Amino acid sequence: MTTWLIRRLIQALFVVLAMSVIVFIGVHVIGNPVDILISPEADQAERARIIASLGLDQPLWKQYVLFVDDALRGDLGRSFVFNEPALRLIAQRMPATLELAVTAVLMSMLFGIPLGLYAGLYPDGVVARTIMAGSILGFSLPTFWVGLMLIMVFAVQLGWLPSTGRGATAELFGIQWSFLTLDGLRHLLLPALNLSLFNISLVLRLVRAGVRETLPMDFVKFARAKGLAPARVIFVHVLKNIMIPVVTVVGLELGSTIAFAVVTESVFAWPGMGKLIIDSINVLDRPVIVAYLMMIVLLFVTINLVVDLLYTLLDPRVRLEAKG
Amino acid sequence: MTATLEVRNLRTHFFTRAGVVKAVDDVSFSIAGGQVLGLVGESGSGKSVTGFSVMGLVDPPGHVVEGAILYQGRDITRLSERDMRALRGNRIAMIFQDPMMTLNPVLRIDTQMIEAVQAHAKVSRAQARSRARDALGQVGIPSPDERLAAYPHQFSGGMRQRVAIAIALLHHPDLLIADEPTTALDVTIQAQILSEVQKLAVTYGTALIWITHDLSVIAGLADEIAVMYAGRIVETGSAARVLDTPLHPYTQGLIGSVPSRNRRGEKLRQIPGMTPSLLRLPPGCAFRTRCPHADAACEQEPEPSQPVPGQTTRCFHPLIAVSA
Amino acid sequence: MSSADTAPKLPLPLREGVGGRGPVREETPFRRFVSEFAASHIAVAGLIIFVLIGVAAIFASLIAPQNPYDLAQLDIMDGRLPPGSASSTGYTYLLGTDDQGRDMLSGILYGLRISLGVGVGSALIACVVGTSLGLFAAYIGGRTDAAIMRLVDLQLSFPSILVALMILAVLGKGVMNVVLALVIVEWAYYTRTVRASALVERRREYIEAAECLALPRRRIIFRHLLPNCLPPLIVIATQQVARAIALEATLSFLGLGVPITEPSLGLLIANGYQYMLSGKYWISFYPGIALLVTIVSINLVGDQLRDVLNPRLKR
């Protein structure tokens, strides 16, 4: 287990390093680093000063070492727009994004598992067919358009829910959260639903396929032959077997959910780091872009690692292989 | 005294898209406490479906369409699902063919045993656990206390089958249906399991239906033998009579295809042809296309007859008449 | 084991529809494929709709009532008219107009052309690049294979939107940049798929035979290996076209995609977004519907292709 963990950690480190090279090359080689890293408003003298201080007159490999060195000390440049360290800006926005993404993932399980279970248990019914057709839409519809439609229906036409912003927040662990206030929850509902739609479809299909695959298995029949109640057979014997791939996929999807939050945050003006990056790209606030990219790579590698760990904990068979 | 189980004119059909499969077609037999009935036939003859019909575990598109299954005089085909569940795993139990598939891979052995105890007995978890431990000890599993905490994949095939037997016998059932429980095991372990089950069945006075395709397995075990072919019982009688003086040509063919020490050096006799598809059964005797004695008479439906006392067959040309 | 047990497992009946050799006159693999595809009416409907959309996009300049990018034809007085309104010149705006007084129907037809062009174009380029890499990885094996697959794993561990975002953040907006971003996002799917089926195929006898004949490596890969990897490739390609169109729309909606001078459906939707809150839904709604129908029709075709071409799913 320990050797396995160490090996995975080294792999993760390698990925982060590789991505830092790619981001570095992207910013420093393909683009003009002087334009990218220095505010267009800077005058000639300041430009020269910054070029020297950033080491842009140094050879490329030295620049990369410098970049990594700064990054390790948490210095990824200052935002031109906010005139604040880019990393701090992102750290400020991160809780809003995480709150949105985690809510969306939870919603995907909350809706996806019961719907998938139903569709798997009664595959030929009208309801199940409707659910499956709906899931095709969930896969096909672009997130941003669904978001617009949600706003149009629930905010503009019906006026039930607010269309933009986080609403009132309350503090927990020194961070502001929306889900702690009723107003915040009302603001959270539509964006989270929007973001979870794809995942609901995904979970639903996984669960349905799992149910269809597991039901004819001998161990299910044996469980019924023991005289267990149907609820116990389905919720313990069938569902526990299905939960392994579902948790893995949902865990992996947390990463892409955070990434796709970019879209939802833009539609619902949700002040998270996704909206920040889009705004930054549109005004060419490159230090923020670089910082965002590095942060998200780190986040992703961490999520992949945690999912792998969870997977081994959930499946006794994998656990044994990892031990041996 | 009423029989533990009496099956009368049972018909279980599967309504598939390709047509109606008459998996069990007019099957009758009975078995008393402490008795062993060998239900013999090749794959697809309907012997497993007969077992599942008794358990009330025939899945759609299959149904019991006709007949009665009398457990201690009560027709259990008319029981509500709830009442049937109270019998299942309690008074009537079943063990399956493939021990690798009968235990849920993601649940520990104790979970799977305790739920089986608690499904029919109002006992605490601790009591259920100790009953589970005793049951494991009875089927010859060493250090049952430790093994309870293990997962199925940590057991060998033979050990898993012992666990399944222990679960089936937890409530000392009146009837145990063993669906080829030794087929997937090594020969040496087959014999162990066989004598284990027989011993326990005698101890608890359990009626045992042993389903197999292998006549040699039940030769020394069964009191009665019923031979199934294409959904029907073609011959029944005491084990000694059926094995020594088979009446039906199919039974004779089965006996002839068993390798035996007495006939060393002799060629094994095969039954010519293949099992007919249950979808396209020819009218009349289903065996006539493969039968050396078939003639025009066999195009009619053979009814059960008793050419010899205590031995019933469905054949127009029972072998007793040929030799006499 | 009796012969009855082994008989249904023979792979031959399954292979006919895919590999297709042998002198079967009446039922060629292609005809069989067509009839199996046509078994689903929904998929056929999807195909018909997609073809119609494609034709409408290609001939947009002939069909559209107005050239939405010819400023001389626009009348700012006709701005934001609801669907069915008459223009000052007596023409009926079936789907209304946008803030510039542009006929939405014409805008959608022109927008479709850009959306489809970018989507199909990038999917094709990604297909060529990804397939070649996958075939080489499978055929050459060893370190080349390991290196390519590492890259694929790395690429696939990041969500498409993020990769596209990174590229466009560095390169800036523009049609060619979007295509490039989509290609970089998509190639790995093709590589993974093709490699997987090529690995299976390359162990078969006909590749061995070709190698014994000392045919050039390129000929073996493209003339022998590739055709046998086509079925999964076609399925992936269909799915990727739909994904590319959706992703392009998303990027353009975010303002990172195509420039304002060449508006795709995504950009049209973005333009209408600000008016939606005031109830002028049609500026965003109808381009959205066009986008939706396009993507769903492709996915319907793709789903059926997957069912027909995947031998594992056959009974």
Side-chain angles (χ1 to χ4, degrees):
Chain A
M1 192 76 183
T2 329
T3 40
W4 175 85
L5 195 67
I6 290 172
R7 208 165 51 215
R8 286 292 286 111
L9 276 172
I10 292 173
Q11 273 177 19
L13 206 68
F14 177 78
V15 171
V16 173
L17 216 61
M19 289 312 293
S20 77
V21 172
I22 292 172
V23 170
F24 177 80
I25 291 177
V27 173
H28 290 247
V29 180
I30 298 173
N32 183 349
V34 178
D35 293 347
I36 291 167
L37 293 172
I38 301 174
S39 159
E41 282 97 51
D43 61 23
Q44 205 57 40
E46 184 159 4
R47 283 176 78 91
R49 194 183 58 75
I50 295 176
I51 286 176
S53 79
L54 289 176
L56 293 179
D57 45 356
Q58 304 281 324
L60 205 59
W61 66 269
K62 254 189 179 164
Q63 286 186 37
Y64 176 69
V65 171
L66 211 66
F67 167 74
V68 172
D69 190 44
D70 281 347
L72 284 179
R73 281 186 280 108
D75 178 9
L76 287 166
R78 290 179 84 84
S79 159
F80 308 145
V81 179
F82 299 92
N83 198 25
E84 261 189 78
L87 216 51
R88 190 197 296 167
L89 263 180
I90 288 166
Q92 281 167 1
R93 306 292 187 94
M94 197 183 269
T97 298
L98 289 181
E99 180 178 30
L100 181 63
V102 170
T103 312
V105 164
L106 291 180
M107 274 172 96
S108 70
M109 305 242 268
L110 198 70
F111 290 113
I113 292 175
L115 287 174
L117 209 55
Y118 183 90
L121 290 176
Y122 311 100
D124 299 321
V126 180
V127 181
R129 282 168 198 275
T130 315
I131 291 173
M132 291 317 287
S135 79
I136 294 181
L137 283 186
F139 275 131
S140 306
L141 302 185
T143 313
F144 74 95
W145 191 75
V146 178
L148 291 184
M149 290 303 111
L150 287 176
I151 290 179
M152 199 175 92
V153 174
F154 293 102
V156 179
Q157 304 284 338
L158 299 172
W160 289 352
L161 292 165
S163 64
T164 54
R166 271 185 97 176
T169 55
E171 197 182 280
L172 182 71
F173 307 128
I175 299 169
Q176 298 291 324
W177 302 99
S178 286
F179 73 92
L180 295 173
T181 69
L182 191 65
D183 184 53
L185 274 179
R186 276 164 45 83
H187 280 80
L188 184 58
L189 191 61
L190 279 188
L193 180 66
N194 179 215
L195 192 54
S196 67
L197 224 54
F198 180 88
N199 287 340
I200 290 176
S201 306
L202 191 71
V203 170
L204 181 167
R205 289 191 153 222
L206 267 179
V207 171
R208 176 185 180 271
V211 171
R212 307 280 299 135
E213 210 171 276
T214 312
L215 274 185
M217 298 270 222
D218 270 2
F219 67 78
V220 174
K221 215 155 197 178
F222 190 64
R224 289 164 66 199
K226 289 196 287 193
L228 301 183
R232 174 137 187 121
V233 175
I234 290 166
F235 290 109
V236 176
H237 284 265
V238 176
L239 211 54
K240 179 120 200 243
N241 266 277
I242 299 171
M243 283 319 282
I244 293 164
V246 169
V247 167
T248 316
V249 168
V250 165
L252 283 173
E253 282 300 305
L254 180 63
S256 34
T257 309
I258 290 172
F260 271 94
V262 167
V263 180
T264 300
E265 286 177 12
S266 297
V267 174
F268 290 90
W270 185 266
M273 54 182 192
K275 183 157 166 39
L276 176 70
I277 177 74
I278 297 297
D279 293 345
S280 301
I281 291 174
N282 281 328
V283 297
L284 292 179
D285 195 350
R286 301 282 166 108
V288 179
I289 299 172
V290 172
Y292 173 83
L293 294 183
M294 288 318 297
M295 287 296 292
I296 205 104
V297 167
L298 211 61
L299 200 65
F300 257 77
V301 169
T302 314
I303 288 171
N304 287 348
L305 207 64
V306 171
V307 168
D308 269 10
L309 260 173
L310 266 182
Y311 189 76
T312 55
L313 290 180
L314 262 173
D315 192 338
R317 286 163 295 189
V318 178
R319 194 157 64 211
L320 192 80
E321 276 163 35
K323 268 185 208 153
Chain B
M1 180 194 139
T2 50
T4 302
L5 184 82
E6 189 182 351
V7 173
R8 276 191 208 148
N9 306 102
L10 178 71
R11 289 179 202 267
T12 304
H13 295 177
F14 287 78
F15 300 89
T16 69
R17 217 178 295 173
V20 179
V21 176
K22 299 176 178 173
V24 176
D25 205 23
D26 195 12
V27 160
S28 304
F29 61 86
S30 74
I31 178 170
Q35 258 201 331
V36 180
L37 169 73
L39 196 56
V40 189
E42 47 199 292
S43 1
S45 61
K47 51 198 197 308
S48 293
V49 177
T50 307
F52 286 127
S53 302
V54 174
M55 292 297 290
L57 286 179
V58 178
D59 286 321
H63 303 286
V64 173
V65 290
E66 217 185 292
I69 299 170
L70 306 173
Y71 161 72
Q72 293 182 339
R74 244 187 336 158
D75 186 358
I76 56 175
T77 59
R78 289 164 202 284
L79 286 186
S80 70
E81 178 53 30
R82 173 180 285 270
D83 291 341
M84 189 64 215
R85 210 162 64 227
L87 287 180
R88 224 182 266 146
N90 184 15
R91 305 322 320 145
I92 307 177
M94 186 162 179
I95 46 181
F96 292 1
Q97 175 170 2
D98 188 352
M100 308 310 256
M101 306 296 294
T102 43
L103 297 174
N104 193 325
V106 298
L107 297 177
R108 296 201 322 203
I109 299 298
D110 54 358
T111 316
Q112 302 192 45
M113 293 193 77
I114 290 168
E115 67 178 7
V117 175
Q118 290 186 324
H120 302 292
K122 291 225 180 315
V123 294
S124 71
R125 238 189 107 75
Q127 285 170 308
R129 198 187 154 86
S130 90
R131 268 175 79 168
R133 187 190 51 225
D134 295 346
L136 283 189
Q138 272 181 337
V139 293
I141 290 182
S143 50
D145 243 330
E146 289 162 37
R147 302 306 268 168
L148 268 179
Y151 284 94
H153 66 85
Q154 293 164 309
F155 287 76
S156 69
M159 281 297 164
R160 285 194 216 189
Q161 197 60 289
R162 284 168 194 270
V163 174
I165 292 166
I167 291 176
L169 295 177
L170 272 175
H171 297 282
H172 306 163
D174 299 319
L175 174 68
L176 176 65
I177 302 168
D179 187 2
E180 307 214 32
T182 59
T183 312
L185 303 176
D186 290 344
V187 184
T188 47
I189 298 173
Q190 273 190 19
Q192 288 175 19
I193 297 271
L194 208 67
S195 67
E196 208 84 62
V197 174
Q198 192 182 17
K199 199 179 76 201
L200 290 167
V202 170
T203 312
Y204 304 134
T206 300
L208 180 60
I209 299 180
W210 194 281
I211 297 174
T212 182
H213 65 274
D214 189 350
L215 269 175
S216 60
V217 167
I218 52 153
L221 173 73
D223 302 310
E224 294 264 324
I225 286 181
V227 180
M228 281 192 82
Y229 185 80
R232 314 201 134 177
I233 289 182
V234 292
E235 177 160 5
T236 56
S238 72
R241 295 206 74 116
V242 170
L243 292 175
D244 291 343
T245 53
L247 291 178
H248 199 282
Y250 176 64
T251 314
Q252 190 190 39
L254 272 185
I255 294 168
S257 61
V258 173
S260 125
R261 217 171 1 176
N262 306 339
R263 279 177 285 150
R264 181 178 290 232
E266 219 177 290
K267 242 177 119 180
L268 272 185
R269 272 167 294 167
Q270 276 188 320
I271 305 174
M274 288 198 296
T275 321
S277 157
L278 287 176
L279 272 175
R280 268 167 266 120
L281 274 188
C285 175
F287 188 60
R288 71 186 157 90
T289 50
R290 302 167 72 184
C291 181
H293 311 289
D295 57 23
C298 298
E299 283 166 36
Q300 301 298 313
E301 195 69 43
E303 287 304 315
S305 61
Q306 220 171 53
V308 186
Q311 206 172 350
T312 312
T313 186
R314 271 179 193 266
C315 183
F316 291 109
H317 312 291
L319 296 169
I320 194 98
V322 174
S323 58
Chain C
M1 192 185 271
S2 76
S3 59
D5 284 338
T6 48
K9 288 187 193 137
L10 280 179
L12 248 165
L14 296 185
R15 299 248 342 126
E16 264 174 29
V18 187
R21 8 168 215 197
V24 188
R25 284 277 174 268
E26 304 80 20
E27 198 181 49
T28 64
F30 180 71
R31 260 189 224 160
R32 179 174 168 147
F33 163 74
V34 168
S35 74
E36 277 182 22
F37 181 86
S40 163
H41 298 300
I42 295 182
V44 174
L47 185 63
I48 293 173
I49 292 173
F50 179 67
V51 169
L52 287 179
I53 289 174
V55 170
I58 292 168
F59 297 105
S61 50
L62 299 177
I63 305 169
Q66 179 191 75
N67 180 353
Y69 304 106
D70 180 2
L71 289 176
Q73 290 186 28
L74 301 184
D75 188 344
I76 198 83
M77 297 303 290
D78 285 352
R80 281 171 260 158
L81 291 177
S85 305
S87 76
S88 45
T89 53
Y91 159 76
T92 308
Y93 295 120
L94 282 175
L95 301 180
T97 62
D98 70 0
D99 51 338
Q100 303 289 313
R102 217 172 260 139
D103 175 37
M104 281 317 296
L105 179 62
S106 310
I108 289 170
L109 287 171
Y110 277 74
L112 262 178
R113 183 149 74 176
I114 292 161
S115 289
L116 277 181
V118 171
V120 175
S122 63
L124 278 181
I125 299 172
C127 180
V128 171
V129 175
T131 305
S132 312
L133 282 173
L135 286 174
F136 279 112
Y139 190 77
I140 295 168
R143 271 204 206 137
T144 319
D145 183 31
I148 292 177
M149 290 323 286
R150 258 294 131 80
L151 212 56
V152 167
D153 286 343
L154 184 66
Q155 165 84 64
L156 292 181
S157 68
F158 289 90
S160 50
I161 181 97
L162 199 68
V163 177
L165 208 74
M166 283 186 193
I167 295 159
L168 291 172
V170 171
L171 296 183
K173 55 171 82 171
V175 173
M176 284 334 284
N177 289 350
V178 172
V179 171
L180 181 67
L182 292 178
V183 169
I184 292 176
V185 165
E186 291 185 342
W187 69 273
Y189 292 92
Y190 295 96
T191 305
R192 190 179 55 178
T193 309
V194 169
R195 176 179 173 271
S197 51
L199 274 185
V200 177
E201 291 297 330
R202 78 152 299 184
R203 285 195 211 98
R204 295 195 193 270
E205 288 85 350
Y206 67 86
I207 297 293
E208 243 171 67
E211 277 168 349
C212 290
L213 292 173
L215 295 180
R217 185 184 270 185
R218 208 186 317 151
R219 190 179 161 86
I220 294 179
I221 291 179
F222 286 106
R223 294 299 296 267
H224 294 264
L225 208 48
L226 178 60
N228 287 289
C229 300
L230 272 182
L233 193 60
I234 292 171
V235 174
I236 285 286
T238 322
Q239 289 167 350
Q240 291 301 321
V241 168
R243 281 178 51 121
I245 291 174
L247 190 54
E248 183 278 326
T250 304
L251 292 169
S252 295
F253 174 79
L254 293 175
L256 308 174
V258 296
I260 195 81
T261 48
E262 290 166 280
S264 66
L265 294 174
L267 201 56
L268 291 178
I269 297 169
N271 287 341
Y273 176 42
Q274 50 182 315
Y275 302 107
M276 210 177 61
L277 293 176
S278 56
K280 297 184 175 56
Y281 67 92
W282 61 88
I283 310 178
S284 273
F285 183 75
Y286 290 114
I289 292 291
L291 181 67
L292 191 72
V293 171
T294 310
I295 293 171
V296 171
S297 68
I298 297 174
N299 279 342
L300 287 177
V301 173
D303 273 8
Q304 180 67 2
L305 281 178
R306 189 192 56 211
D307 291 352
V308 171
L309 291 177
N310 187 349
R312 272 194 312 153
L313 286 178
K314 288 190 185 169
R315 290 160 288 111

